[in-house]
């Protein structure tokens, strides 16, 4: 289906000059980005600080609204719902969900992660650390949507930097 769509689009073969223009655009964009995420040993930083007080600091500001996960191009959490109608037909449907909703990961009617601190920690460690275990790369593409859409102004890049700073202070 994709090939059929591409065949209908007018275009021309890629030329060497095109590659240089694309590279120039990427370099210009990278040079003008305002945020950076220090990723050196981010896996170790996050996984060795699961009980750090910084999670509670973030939770005091986080609304658990799920905006960050709903706009993220790589978030894929879902839940399963049984749906029935008055005719007696029923179906099991998968529905997009978020690790920030109160019903997510309910076991025997109790949430596995009941606090905002636990939810935010799960989201950040999955996105920036455990994703490497699953897929061999980061779950963050650097788009900044989670930052833009956060009504509380929480910036994942700043939170990692603050956790890093607090951890380095504690280690010295």
């Amino acid at each position: 289906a994709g090939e059929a769509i591409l065949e209908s689009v007018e275009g021309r073969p890629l030329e060497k000059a095109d590659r240089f223009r694309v590279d120039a655009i990427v370099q210009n964009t990278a040079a003008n980005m305002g945020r950076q995420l220090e990723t050196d040993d981010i896996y170790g930083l996050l996984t060795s600080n699961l009980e750090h007080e910084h999670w509670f600091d973030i939770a005091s500001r986080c609304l658990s609204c799920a905006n960050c996960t709903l706009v993220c191009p790589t978030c894929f959490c879902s839940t399963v719902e049984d749906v029935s109608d008055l005719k007696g037909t029923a179906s099991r449907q998968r529905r997009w969900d978020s690790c920030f909703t109160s019903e997510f990961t309910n076991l025997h009617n109790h949430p596995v992660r009941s606090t905002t601190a636990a939810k935010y920690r799960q989201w950040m460690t999955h996105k920036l650390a455990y994703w490497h275990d699953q897929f061999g790369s980061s779950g963050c593409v650097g788009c900044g949507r989670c930052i833009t859409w956060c009504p509380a102004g929480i910036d994942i890049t700043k939170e990692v930097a603050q956790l890093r700073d607090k951890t380095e202070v504690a280690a010295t």
Side-chain angles (χ1 to χ4, degrees):
E3 286 179 12
I5 292 171
L6 286 175
E7 287 174 8
S8 69
V9 176
E10 289 186 31
R12 59 177 175 72
L14 184 69
E15 297 174 6
K16 204 172 209 174
D18 296 326
R19 177 46 56 212
F20 291 122
R21 280 196 296 276
V22 169
D23 288 344
I25 291 169
V26 169
Q27 288 175 1
N28 184 49
T29 302
N32 289 300
M33 291 180 76
R35 290 183 177 88
Q36 290 188 355
L37 179 62
E38 177 59 54
T39 59
D40 287 347
D41 194 31
I42 196 165
Y43 189 99
L45 172 71
L46 295 173
T47 59
S48 64
N49 287 290
L50 297 176
E51 301 301 323
H52 198 280
E53 65 188 29
H54 189 63
W55 302 118
F56 299 99
D57 177 44
I58 298 170
S60 71
R61 295 174 278 132
C62 177
L63 304 174
S64 287
C65 67
N67 275 7
C68 52
T69 60
L70 296 176
V71 297
C72 178
T74 63
C75 281
F76 58 83
C77 288
S78 61
T79 191
V80 175
E81 291 181 333
D82 293 322
V83 180
S84 59
D85 61 24
L86 295 175
K87 297 178 195 175
T89 59
S91 64
R92 179 161 279 183
Q93 300 174 354
R94 190 167 85 167
R95 179 180 56 85
W96 189 24
D97 203 356
S98 169
C99 55
F100 279 95
T101 62
S102 58
E103 300 85 21
F104 192 74
T105 68
N106 268 356
L107 289 179
H108 308 294
N109 230 10
H110 297 286
V112 172
R113 288 179 283 279
S114 58
T115 66
T116 301
K119 292 173 188 178
Y120 196 91
R121 180 189 62 212
Q122 166 62 25
W123 174 70
M124 186 186 280
T125 55
H126 184 228
K127 186 75 45 188
L128 302 176
Y130 300 134
W131 201 281
H132 289 273
D133 294 336
Q134 285 182 280
F135 306 109
S137 66
S138 176
C140 178
V141 297
C143 67
R145 291 176 187 157
C146 59
I147 299 165
T148 300
W149 286 95
C150 179
I154 297 172
D155 180 334
I156 189 174
T157 63
K158 290 180 181 177
E159 300 308 330
V160 170
Q162 288 177 9
L163 179 62
R164 192 178 297 279
D165 289 345
K166 290 176 180 180
T167 303
E168 288 175 1
V169 168
T172 57

